[in-house]
Each structure stands twice: as structure tokens, then as C-alpha cells.
Amino acid sequence: MSDVDHGQNIDLRDLWDQAVSTLSPGAKVWVYGAKPLSLHDGILIVAVQDDLTRAQLESRVRPALEQALTSRLGRDARLVVTIDPTVLDDLETNLQVDKDTPASAELDEDDDLDETDEPADRDGLTPSWVSRPAAVGPVSSEQHRNSIAEARLNPRYQFENFVIGSSNRFAHAAAVAAAEAPGKAYNPLVIHGDSGLGKTHLLHAIGHYVLNLYPSSRVRYVSSEEFVNDVINAIGENRTPALRRKYREIDVLLVDDIQFLERKESTQEEFFHTFNALHNENKQIVMTSDRPPQELKTLEERLRNRFTWGLQTEMLPPDLETRIAILRKKASNEKLTAPADVLEFIASKVQTNIRELEGALIRATAFANLNGTTVDLQLAQIVLKDLVAEGEEPEISIGLIMAQTAAYSEFTIEELCSTNRSRDLVLARQIAMYLCRELTELSLPKIGQEFGNRDHTTVMHAERKIRKLMAEKHAVYNQVTELTARIKQQARQS
Ligand SMILES: Nc1ncnc2c1ncn2[C@@H]1O[C@H](COP(=O)(O)OP(=O)(O)OP(=O)(O)O)[C@@H](O)[C@H]1O
């Protein structure tokens, strides 16, 4: 069992045992049977059998353990404790295996018995005693692409593209650990935080990483709104068994924005059973929410309770350094050229929403591109003059965006929401959807629903398309900029 931290190859069991050996005998009681699961960025994740042990370990033993880990690792270490009711079973079974199997009888005398339950780590990536979704041989790149499409994963949201800072370090480490040991590290994992902080990005990244590590596993991303719609449709069309199969025959279920389950009784009922079915089979469930589950007041008590079984982790707004790093990464991924002072200017102006941060960079570079120049600080200041400090921004509704887009494009709101696909209308509709993403905190499914019950992937497509067109066509750039100014002005006046 080894893990990599800061390029060091570290034997987790060894690290853990050494830290435990520094504890007093009284404190050692609370770490009996604890399993180290993974180590990332100085965060060691350990599983214990129940809540009481976790509480004791966290309150009584944590400081001593963290100190021991810090001195062993040579960097600040943090301990994260998660619950896995089967840890003691595993310990007992493993001891049994050690005694009974011929393999254990063949051990050299100096072999460490603690380690004998662990078969050789085949890919060197994770503790191999963790049960994994079955992997059946190599899969072709086409099959891999199909799995990604079936899982409904956005190819841009991967761990490689995720910038780690103090605001998201813990959530990132938890996400990586859940992906490496699905159903074992912590189940469920709930990532919560305000809009635009990267929750959805992490959720998709887990899906990609699971498919890379275990290509034959079944992964599915679903927004809560889609789940609600699926349940309503299935009930209406008498297809509940098919719905159950769809959500229960998976290894890793990624559910976005669970706050949308509030007040939806029949959906909560269905989700409760889905949750239980998957959890009982040790299938991994990861959820995002705009609040901690305890604060989802109108969620049924039994669901709220289950959501707190595993690990909850909060994402906070990134600090200035992280915001600059995110912009730098975005610029390099999308081949956008912007000097450091421009990135700093944008990062200092947009403080709490990473989606807006990226939007500002794209707007500035698109403007420069259209004018055959490169972006500099002066130009960025002109293009982004409407970026006002946090807190001063008036709230913008989807209704306002639709009304302004309709008036500007000379279509009606009904037409924007209709199925008519005439060219100009499609462009106006896509611009309106893009602006909803830019100027509101509404989720993709919600926007799709408002535009005539369209799928969230249609909104995703519109957002990408308009970003691209803005960089290529003066007319589109101008339309979007002018409309944005009108919408903001209207919002300020109302
Ligand atoms: N740490 C990060 N590194 C790189 N990109 C990031 C990071 N955090 C967020 N982003 C980017 O910011 C944008 C918004 O993130 P995302 O959609 O995941 O936020 P969210 O918290 O799910 O918001 P919402 O609750 O509104 O759905 C995405 O384009 C995402 O790639």
C-alpha cells in the first residue's frame, strides 16, 4: 500500500503505524482497526468503524497524530477521518486469511504480518485492499469515449484542469480519494459551497478518474433536476422499474445540486431507495449542494440523515493567488494570451465566482482578438469596466435576460422558448442561454427548463458556441456586449 505525496513514494501503512506508535496507550484504543486510505497534499484519510470512534479520534487523538505525521512527512499534515462500518470486519477477515491461506504459510519470517492481507498493488495508485469495481481487461479508446458519454461527463472538467488552493484543497483530496477507492473512502461524499466554486468540476473529475482507473465501471452524472424529471416522467408513463434499473445498476453515482430535491416528495422517496440500494452494495455516491445537508430543511429527515453518513467537505471562494492561478491555467488550456498584470487585474475584480472570473478573461481576450491585437492592462480595464466590486452587483433574473434579448433581437419570449430553429432565432436563443450562464447563478438544467424544457446539454452547447463565436465574429461580440450592458442597466434601475 503506497501513495504519492509531493513526489515522494510513501508506504501508508508504515506511515500510519509510525504515527500511532507515538500515542499513549489510552489514545491507541481509538485507532484500533483504523485504515489509512490515501494521502494527498499532506491530507491523510483514515477510515474507522463508527461515528463514536471518529468523534473520539478527532477530539482526543488528532493533534498528536497530526504532529507525528507532520514530522514524518516534513510538511504540514492533516488527518481526515471517515466512517466505514466494515473496517473491523476486514481486519478480522484478513487475520483469518493470514492464518488459513497457504500463501501466508509461505511467508518469510521477517515479512510484516500487517501487510499480508494486501495483494501486490497492480497499478501502484491506491491501497489495493480496497474493493474496486471489476475491471475487465483493457478497453479501446472508443469504448472509453463511449463510457464518458454514457456517464454524461464534461471532458473539460478533469482533475488535471483543477487548480488547488487553500479554499478547495480538502474537497479536492476527498474527491481524489473517493475516485481511487469508490464505495470505500467515504460514502456518500458531499461537496458543498456557493455557486461557481468548482463543485460540478470536481464531480465530473471524479467520474473521469474512476473511468481511467477502472475502465469497466459504470459511472453516471446526473443533475438533481434531471433526476426529478426522470422520476416524474417515469411515474407518469408507468416506467418506474426501468428508472430503478437505470440508477441502481451503477458503480458510481454523481448527483449535482441536491438542494433541488427539496420539497419534491415523490422524488425524495425514489432517491431514498436508490441511495439505499447503492449504499448497501458499497457503490459510491457523490453529491454536491449549495448548503451542508443539515441545512436542507425541507428534505426528509431520513435522507438528510443519510447524507451525513460519510464525509462532507466545503468549498470556499478562492483567494487572490488561486484566482490568478485559475486564470493562468484557463488561458493556457484555451490558448488565450494575456499578460500577468491583466490576469491580476481580473482576479482582483472578480472575487467569489470562478465562472465569472473565466467569463471576464474570455471577454477581454475575445475583444482583443477581434481587433487584431493582444490584450493589455489598459484594454482589459476598458473592456471590463462594468465589473463592479462584489456586493454591488444587482440581481439579474432569467426573465429580464429573456425580455431584453427578445426586445434586442426582435423576437418574442415565446419564440425564444419555442422549438422553431430558424437561424437568427437559434442565435438569439443561444445568446440568451449564454447570458443566463454568465449573469445568473442558475444551473444548466434550470436554464434548459426555462427555455422550453430543453436538456441541460443544449445549454452547455449554447454556452460553448457563443464563446467561440464571440472570438470569431465582431457582430456577435458586439451583440453580446451591448445586451449585457442593457441587462445590467435595467437590473440597476429596477
Ligand atoms: N479550482 C478550479 N480550477 C480550475 N477551474 C475551476 C476551479 N474551480 C472552478 N473552476 C471552473 O469554474 C467554472 C464554474 O465551476 P462549477 O460549474 O464547477 O461550479 P459549481 O460550484 O458547480 O457552481 P454551481 O453551483 O453554480 O453549479 C467551471 O468552468 C470550472 O471549470
Side-chain angles (χ1 to χ4, degrees):
M1 172 176 37
S2 70
D3 217 321
V4 177
D5 197 53
H6 261 207
Q8 282 177 280
N9 226 337
I10 289 165
D11 185 316
L12 286 187
R13 171 57 74 182
D14 198 36
L15 173 72
W16 180 244
D17 287 347
Q18 287 192 18
V20 169
S21 70
T22 64
L23 298 176
S24 67
K28 277 187 186 150
V29 171
W30 299 111
V31 296
Y32 173 72
K35 270 185 182 176
L37 297 180
S38 71
L39 175 70
H40 284 276
D41 265 338
I43 298 173
L44 179 68
I45 297 171
V46 172
V48 298
Q49 71 271 27
D50 55 29
D51 210 24
L52 174 69
T53 316
R54 172 163 73 178
Q56 294 294 337
L57 207 158
E58 283 184 334
S59 60
R60 297 176 182 221
V61 200
R62 174 201 288 283
L65 277 174
E66 286 185 345
Q67 202 181 356
L69 291 168
T70 300
S71 87
R72 174 82 172 78
L73 290 172
R75 60 175 298 184
D76 268 352
R78 252 184 94 184
L79 187 67
V80 173
V81 189
T82 174
I83 298 174
D84 175 0
T86 65
V87 275
L88 291 184
D89 303 352
D90 284 3
L91 196 75
E92 275 146 30
T93 323
N94 293 333
L95 291 174
Q96 204 61 37
V97 171
D98 288 345
K99 275 188 258 149
D100 299 346
T101 57
S104 67
E106 288 165 18
L107 287 171
D108 290 336
E109 266 173 26
D110 58 355
D111 267 342
D112 180 356
L113 273 180
D114 277 354
E115 302 274 339
T116 53
D117 52 294
E118 298 167 18
D121 191 355
R122 262 160 292 165
D123 53 20
L125 275 164
T126 91
S128 49
W129 38 261
V130 169
S131 78
R132 302 166 165 190
V136 286
V139 295
S140 68
S141 54
E142 194 190 333
Q143 278 170 311
H144 187 67
R145 272 197 301 279
N146 287 344
S147 306
I148 290 173
E150 270 168 35
R152 301 169 71 87
L153 299 178
N154 182 335
R156 287 190 307 139
Y157 293 166
Q158 311 239 11
F159 283 130
E160 292 85 86
N161 304 331
F162 191 83
V163 175
I164 304 166
S166 54
S167 56
N168 59 31
R169 184 180 306 282
F170 184 40
H172 173 266
V176 171
E180 288 188 343
K184 279 285 176 181
Y186 5 72
N187 209 8
L189 169 63
V190 180
I191 303 171
H192 62 90
D194 287 343
S195 179
L197 295 184
K199 302 183 296 294
T200 304
H201 189 136
L202 276 187
L203 205 56
H204 285 260
I206 292 173
H208 284 293
Y209 197 32
V210 168
L211 286 175
N212 280 336
L213 291 177
Y214 318 113
S216 62
S217 60
R218 293 153 304 178
V219 173
R220 188 168 182 97
Y221 166 86
V222 64
S223 72
S224 297
E225 284 152 309
E226 271 177 278
F227 189 81
V228 173
N229 288 340
D230 269 5
V231 172
I232 293 170
N233 293 340
I235 294 172
E237 294 160 18
N238 261 338
R239 283 190 298 102
T240 359
L243 175 85
R244 292 191 177 149
R245 269 199 307 282
K246 173 172 165 186
Y247 285 108
R248 295 183 198 176
E249 290 177 357
I250 31 193
D251 300 306
V252 179
L253 178 63
L254 309 165
V255 192
D256 214 354
D257 291 322
I258 52 167
Q259 71 273 9
F260 288 111
L261 298 178
E262 281 197 298
R263 295 196 191 84
K264 315 265 179 2
E265 275 105 45
S266 48
T267 309
Q268 288 185 24
E269 172 82 19
E270 198 56 47
F271 192 69
F272 177 75
H273 295 300
T274 303
F275 184 101
N276 287 344
L278 292 174
H279 199 270
N280 284 343
E281 300 231 339
N282 286 331
K283 307 297 191 190
Q284 179 71 47
I285 303 159
V286 188
M287 297 176 274
T288 71
S289 169
D290 67 354
R291 275 155 286 165
Q294 306 85 284
E295 288 177 24
L296 298 171
K297 293 289 179 223
T298 58
L299 207 61
E300 270 189 60
E301 174 58 30
R302 55 182 187 166
L303 259 187
R304 229 188 358 247
N305 174 275
R306 274 164 174 71
F307 290 172
T308 58
W309 274 357
L311 185 78
Q312 295 177 35
T313 164
E314 184 177 10
M315 297 186 80
L316 296 169
D319 55 23
L320 180 67
E321 254 185 10
T322 311
R323 297 201 296 277
I324 296 173
I326 290 173
L327 287 175
R328 210 177 289 133
K329 181 134 218 156
K330 183 82 188 167
S332 111
N333 283 351
E334 312 240 333
K335 313 231 166 350
L336 308 170
T337 320
D341 56 354
V342 168
L343 301 186
E344 274 167 38
F345 167 72
I346 298 174
S348 68
K349 285 285 181 191
V350 187
Q351 291 165 6
T352 55
N353 187 318
I354 299 171
R355 190 175 302 117
E356 269 180 40
L357 190 70
E358 294 182 343
L361 172 68
I362 284 165
R363 232 172 347 127
T365 48
F367 183 87
N369 205 33
L370 286 171
N371 290 289
T373 169
T374 51
V375 65
D376 60 18
L377 185 57
Q378 201 186 3
L379 186 139
Q381 281 168 338
I382 295 169
V383 178
L384 302 174
K385 63 180 180 304
D386 59 328
L387 288 180
V388 287
E390 291 297 322
E392 292 170 29
E393 193 78 81
E395 185 134 347
I396 292 173
S397 69
I398 197 163
L400 176 61
I401 294 175
M402 280 192 187
Q404 287 292 326
T405 314
Y408 185 83
S409 61
E410 297 179 355
F411 290 108
T412 61
I413 295 183
E414 289 69 36
E415 282 171 314
L416 287 179
C417 300
S418 71
T419 49
N420 186 328
R421 297 197 43 79
S422 80
R423 233 179 107 155
D424 289 350
L425 179 56
V426 168
L427 180 65
R429 186 180 295 133
Q430 287 178 331
I431 289 179
M433 287 181 177
Y434 166 84
L435 290 173
C436 288
R437 283 296 279 169
E438 284 287 297
L439 304 175
T440 76
E441 298 192 343
L442 297 170
S443 65
L444 292 167
K446 180 75 189 156
I447 298 170
Q449 197 186 335
E450 296 282 332
F451 280 85
N453 257 332
R454 290 181 151 81
D455 193 76
H456 80 275
T457 50
T458 309
V459 186
M460 234 158 79
H461 172 73
E463 191 186 353
R464 260 202 309 268
K465 178 85 184 289
I466 297 303
R467 280 190 173 181
K468 186 161 173 280
L469 282 180
M470 278 172 71
E472 289 168 4
K473 293 197 162 70
H474 262 287
V476 177
Y477 182 89
N478 290 340
Q479 279 168 16
V480 173
T481 312
E482 205 178 320
L483 246 175
T484 307
R486 284 188 190 194
I487 291 166
K488 287 191 170 174
Q489 196 184 6
Q490 271 294 322
R492 271 183 223 120
Q493 284 167 0
S494 54

